[in-house]
Amino acid sequence: MSDQNTALEGEIILRTLAMPKDTNTSGDIFGGWVMSQMDIAGGIIAGERAQGRVATVAVNAMKFIQPVKVGDVLCIYGRVGRVGTTSMSIELEAWVKRDRLGERHKVTEGIFVFVALDDDGQPVAVEKG
């Protein structure tokens, strides 16, 4: 994972705008919404790496650093970490641009684990390399 000033050495996978409907009772964006956006981004990366269907099986080392506010642009960066026989660890970071145009801040990071699946939903080997 990167420090607070530099984005993960990976590509931007997903950008979306935090909206009022996604807030918690404190008026901040609900952490579950942020986590779901990260899961979507991780699934894109894992599916490309596996060249097929994948499923999330674990979320490791999740860390919420700062709240996301309504009007922030949430940017999810990611890269493939460890690749096992059927699973992949996807390293993800969520950054925001405050009020759509402002400063960038890292808000969340985590490692999501996905398993490659065949058409019947059974684990299938992920090619090395």
Side-chain angles (χ1 to χ4, degrees), residues 48-67:
E48 288 175 353
R49 178 64 177 79
Q51 293 293 293
R53 184 176 170 189
V54 296
T56 310
V57 295
V59 178
N60 298 334
M62 192 76 178
K63 182 178 176 183
F64 291 93
I65 301 162
Q66 292 186 34

Side-chain angles (χ1 to χ4, degrees), residues 1 31-32 34-43 45-46 55-64 76-77 79-82 87-94 108-115:
M1 299 290 160
V34 175
M35 192 172 180
S36 71
Q37 300 305 307
M38 293 176 75
D39 190 38
I40 291 167
I45 296 169
T56 310
V57 295
V59 178
N60 298 334
M62 192 76 178
K63 182 178 176 183
F64 291 93
I76 311 291
Y77 294 83
R79 68 178 175 198
V80 176
R82 187 191 71 76
S87 67
M88 298 154 279
S89 293
I90 307 298
E91 299 171 6
L92 297 165
E93 289 184 357
T108 310
E109 64 183 25
I111 300 171
F112 286 60
V113 180
F114 292 84
V115 169

Side-chain angles (χ1 to χ4, degrees), residues 7-13 77-80 91:
L8 181 75
E9 290 181 12
E11 64 179 296
I12 188 164
I13 305 302
Y77 294 83
R79 68 178 175 198
V80 176
E91 299 171 6

Side-chain angles (χ1 to χ4, degrees), residues 72 96-99 101-105:
D72 287 348
V96 295
K97 286 185 179 179
R98 294 283 182 217
D99 297 318
L101 304 171
E103 292 182 29
R104 286 174 14 109
H105 298 276

Side-chain angles (χ1 to χ4, degrees), residues 52-57 86 114-125:
R53 184 176 170 189
V54 296
T56 310
V57 295
T86 62
F114 292 84
V115 169
L117 301 172
D118 64 17
D119 290 339
D120 296 321
Q122 297 302 307
V124 62

